[in-house]
Amino acid sequence: MTGNQNISLAVFGNPSASGGYNQLIMYNQMVCDVPTTVYNGMENNSYFFSVRIEKTKVIYKIIKNNVRSNGSARPSSPLVIAISIPRGYELAGNISPYDVLIDLKDEFIKLCMTYRDAHSGIYEYNSGRINTNALDHIIQKYALRPTGRKYTEMTNNDAIGYVIMPEENIKLLMSDIRYDVFSNYKEIVIAENVGQATGFSIIKDLVVPRPKEYTIFDGEIESIRVTDIKKPYIIESNENAKYYNNGKLTFTIEDLINNPYLSSAIRFDADNEAVYLDRKKLATRKQQTQDNTNMPTSNAMRNNAGSPDTVAVTLSIPKSKETEEIISRKELLVTIKSESPTKKEVKLHKENQETYYGKLPINSSWLRAGVTLSFQTKENRYSYHLSDKTKFPFTINVPIVKKKNKSLLGSGINKDLKILLAVILLGCLLGVLGTIYLGRNAKKKVSNEVVESKERPATDSDTTLFKETNKQSAGEIGSSKKDNDNLNNNAKRSKNTRDNSNAEIEIKTTSEESGARPKGTTTEGNISKKRGGERKDDKK
């Protein structure tokens, strides 16, 4: 929680006679001036209290008498422990500020003081510096909770009022300080004993605990105040009897305390003791009657079918994680749309934590054509269809719509199309893998052929065949280049023809001499050997 949602603490005193009166401890950055008020007439109390209501916070203090500085023989200025609670918050667990202040006082005395004089009840500060975190573990025990309570800010004049009461009543008083009379003072001192030397103003006849006084606001009727929670109060609607059945309600404040949502016509603010009435909500539309077309239509609709009529609509929204965004609104904007060009937007007002209520302008012609009610949230759009057979008042129970996980292919695509797309993707993947595999085999085959060609001696026919193959794979590049290549190829073919003829003659001779192979058979090895022999003869 942030700082302004926690209790703040400040402690003031004079532990050293030479050090002066100053702030000893501060927790949660409490902004509080060093106390300068002299509380004359309060000396006979071992301790007493004070309260001040400011615009942004309420400050509670305990003032401890009978303390003295370390090494001093006479009493010094009182020990003052102050806490502040921000407006809009209160102590959780029905804890009174009185309990917190007493707890802090006792802990400070135990850690930082020594009991010196049983007769006068004097406490003396211990020597050394005060630990500025000495009370952190105490103040952190107490939590705050939000509250709708409203306080009347005290005046800034110099007037100080005081109240005399026993300590058990002081606790009750500090639990509820919303007394109108307190607004006339800048500070209220609360003590068991007050001497005649005081210059403060006494506040008499203060009833503790504070009796609750409820204010009933009834539209244009003047508000009234009720202190008797068992006293019955009667309200009745006064709508046009031609179209409505007027209702009557009897209730007591005690009924509202036990059931704050007793009726949609009543809004109960328990924190501020206020009751707000809306008599119109007690009226209900008369039941629609059937005509010859078996269509339920009110008298107002039959007499003027083209004019808007009003029907009561209640939206009941179950509280859940999915509907948090809806029920957090004070108003809900509902769109009314029929098949005709008519379109209206109406606000439904929050009736309680899970219910919205309102009256919608819908006439019989719209119902015959069909009417759609819809409202939009961040995640979903809710739509409801009304017809001429809808019974009013109409209640909508809004279902919980959970978010759907969107798949990779999208939730809007049907199952067959998803399968087809999956097959296409799989086929593309297999095609890519096949292309890679064939490419690698082709590269490996070419590499093997190159190695083989390097391992054996090259012949003229091999050279010719290699050039022709390269020429065929390279293609023809330009018409002029083609002509030059043709001339070269013709010359090479003539040379190859002569070489081949000589080679065949030599092969035949070798075959006949060896007799090992059938006639006409030859190998590249024999050709190579023969040619090798010819080259040796030439050298000789």
Side-chain angles (χ1 to χ4, degrees), residues 255-271:
D255 294 335
L256 297 177
I257 293 172
N258 295 329
N259 181 14
Y261 306 113
L262 182 66
S263 169
S264 62
I266 302 175
R267 183 167 68 86
F268 182 53
D269 184 354
D271 286 333

Side-chain angles (χ1 to χ4, degrees), residues 47 53 64 195 253 275 277 327 361 368 377 470 479 485:
Y47 53 85
I53 302 173
K64 177 70 176 78
I253 299 298
V275 180
L277 304 180
I327 63 178
R368 279 194 295 268
T377 67
N470 283 345
S479 59
D485 291 339

Side-chain angles (χ1 to χ4, degrees), residues 105-114 126 130-131 133-135 137-138:
K105 172 188 71 70
D106 292 344
E107 187 70 9
F108 185 88
I109 289 175
K110 183 177 76 172
L111 298 176
C112 306
M113 289 183 157
T114 302
N126 297 333
I130 301 293
N131 180 5
N133 298 319
L135 299 179
H137 64 290
I138 298 296

Side-chain angles (χ1 to χ4, degrees), residues 197-468:
T198 184
F200 305 150
S201 302
I202 187 170
I203 300 174
K204 296 181 179 180
D205 302 325
L206 201 66
V207 180
V208 176
R210 183 183 67 84
K212 296 183 182 296
E213 187 176 54
Y214 294 88
T215 304
I216 298 177
F217 299 93
D218 191 2
E220 298 180 357
I221 302 175
E222 185 177 355
S223 61
I224 62 172
R225 292 196 172 188
V226 178
T227 55
D228 184 0
I229 64 172
K230 296 183 180 294
K231 181 180 178 180
Y233 191 80
I234 302 173
I235 58 173
E236 186 175 5
S237 61
N238 189 27
E239 298 300 298
N240 190 331
K242 184 175 182 180
Y243 309 121
Y244 293 92
N245 294 316
N246 286 299
K248 180 187 292 187
L249 177 66
T250 302
F251 68 93
T252 66
I253 299 298
E254 186 177 46
D255 294 335
L256 297 177
I257 293 172
N258 295 329
N259 181 14
Y261 306 113
L262 182 66
S263 169
S264 62
I266 302 175
R267 183 167 68 86
F268 182 53
D269 184 354
D271 286 333
N272 295 296
E273 299 163 13
V275 180
Y276 301 91
L277 304 180
D278 186 354
R279 293 173 178 262
K280 291 182 179 180
K281 291 186 177 181
L282 293 175
T284 57
R285 285 200 60 82
K286 290 186 175 180
Q287 286 291 332
Q288 297 169 332
T289 57
Q290 295 184 354
D291 56 15
N292 294 332
T293 61
N294 294 324
M295 182 190 73
T297 309
S298 67
N299 291 330
M301 291 182 176
R302 282 198 298 270
N303 293 336
N304 191 0
S307 63
D309 207 352
T310 57
V311 293
V313 173
T314 301
L315 264 68
S316 178
I317 302 174
K319 189 174 182 180
S320 68
K321 187 176 180 180
E322 287 78 12
T323 59
E324 276 183 1
E325 191 267 331
I326 309 176
I327 63 178
S328 62
R329 306 179 187 179
K330 292 183 178 179
E331 295 179 333
L332 192 63
L333 188 64
V334 175
T335 302
I336 307 170
K337 188 176 181 181
S338 66
E339 293 182 3
S340 61
T342 306
K343 180 179 179 181
K344 291 182 178 291
E345 291 185 343
V346 179
K347 289 181 179 179
L348 300 184
H349 297 276
K350 197 167 189 178
E351 195 171 54
N352 54 51
Q353 283 191 343
E354 301 177 12
T355 305
Y356 292 85
Y357 179 83
K359 293 184 178 180
L360 308 181
I362 299 175
N363 61 34
S364 59
S365 61
W366 296 6
L367 289 173
R368 279 194 295 268
V371 177
T372 301
L373 299 184
S374 62
F375 62 92
Q376 180 72 43
T377 67
K378 289 182 179 179
E379 301 293 339
N380 302 293
R381 184 172 186 83
Y382 297 87
S383 296
Y384 301 90
H385 183 72
L386 307 182
S387 69
D388 52 10
K389 297 186 178 182
T390 302
K391 294 183 179 180
F392 294 96
F394 179 63
T395 299
I396 298 173
N397 292 310
V398 177
I400 298 175
V401 180
K402 296 185 178 180
K403 296 181 182 178
K404 295 182 179 179
N405 295 326
K406 295 184 178 180
S407 65
L408 179 64
L409 298 175
S411 59
I413 304 176
N414 61 42
K415 185 177 179 181
D416 293 337
L417 186 55
K418 288 181 181 179
I419 295 173
L420 178 60
L421 290 176
V423 171
I424 292 173
L425 290 174
L426 181 60
C428 292
L429 180 61
L430 293 176
V432 171
L433 293 175
T435 302
I436 294 172
Y437 177 80
L438 292 176
R440 287 181 179 177
N441 288 342
K443 185 176 180 182
K444 185 176 180 182
K445 184 176 181 182
V446 171
S447 178
N448 293 336
E449 290 176 357
V450 170
V451 171
E452 289 178 0
S453 65
K454 286 182 179 180
E455 289 177 351
R456 62 181 174 81
T459 62
D460 291 340
S461 62
D462 292 338
T463 302
T464 301
L465 183 61
F466 178 73
K467 288 181 180 181
E468 288 179 352

Side-chain angles (χ1 to χ4, degrees), residues 474-486:
E476 297 180 353
I477 306 174
S479 59
S480 61
K481 186 175 180 180
K482 181 178 179 182
D483 295 338
N484 291 333
D485 291 339
N486 290 334

